[in-house]
Amino acid sequence: MRKIFSTLFVLTLSLMLFASGNLYADGLKVYISVDMEGVAGVVHGDQVSAGGSDYSLARRWTTEEANAAIEGALEAGATEIVVNDSHGSMRNIIASDLHPEARLITGSPKPLSMMEGIDETFDAIIFIGYHARAGSIDGVLDHTYSGASVYSVKVNGVELGEGEMNALVGGYYGVPVAMIAGDEEACRQARETLGDQIVTAEVKKGIGRYAANTLVPSKAQELIKEKTRTSLEQLSDMEVFSLTSPYVFDIDFLRSCQAQGAELVPGVERSGPRSVNFTKDDLIDGFQMFRALLVLSR
Ligand SMILES: [Zn+2]
């Protein structure tokens, strides 16, 4: 008799799991995009360029900040975590040192770049190592997608940095940004554009573009873990960032020849010596056109 009951129990449990499709159907699914310029201790190109003298050290700090966010997410109840390496070659995170509970998206190019892997199945987005947009005061290593070509980029008249642009891509899939870690100016810009509900972890304060007053990595990682956990506990307060279709992209390049290259693409109009614009009904079409123009402008 006992054997019949235990067999029935196992059968029922298997059916329930099969029906839900997931052992942790109610757990959080968290997406983490990891850049490098906004990591604590980082202030110079030698730290963020493969081959740079301090690169191996900074990629370790970057991996540790990603781990801190993963630990915070696990404490908040995350059961699925995807980390996207989002800087430069997108091969910065040391795979063997990443927390084993996360999956890692590594390498480049990727269709959605810094947001590769995001879709409507995620509950929240976390940004680690993010920096201020091109043309910021006291923004450590400030730039927008391409330091070599972008002076500014606006969508529907709103100037966006990488954090805000990537939040828009997340918003397309209905996923809100819960937390951003980076320098003070990057965090301020994110709050200004995405709203005050977003939780921020200010790991350093820029002193111009190439210096900072920074938390040491271990302290920054404690802060990131704590802020990630609290942001996910407040997930119901988080807002999906969106603008209204059609999406008008205005790009100002650093040099006129870059606009000259971009205007060769059908649908792209030259709007000034260094400027082009284009309009797309679908945000992802617009995002991919923006990135294609950056490739052309190099
Ligand atoms: Zn970067």
Side-chain angles (χ1 to χ4, degrees), residues 35-37 87 131 143:
D35 203 349
M36 206 166 176
E37 290 88 347
H87 171 78
H131 52 81
H143 66 279

Side-chain angles (χ1 to χ4, degrees), residues 138-153:
D138 291 337
V140 178
L141 299 173
D142 63 330
H143 66 279
T144 306
Y145 265 88
S146 167
S149 54
V150 175
Y151 185 86
S152 81
V153 55

Side-chain angles (χ1 to χ4, degrees), residues 259-274:
Q260 207 179 347
E263 76 170 327
L264 294 174
V265 177
V268 176
E269 275 178 31
R270 186 83 173 258
S271 47
R274 299 183 313 187

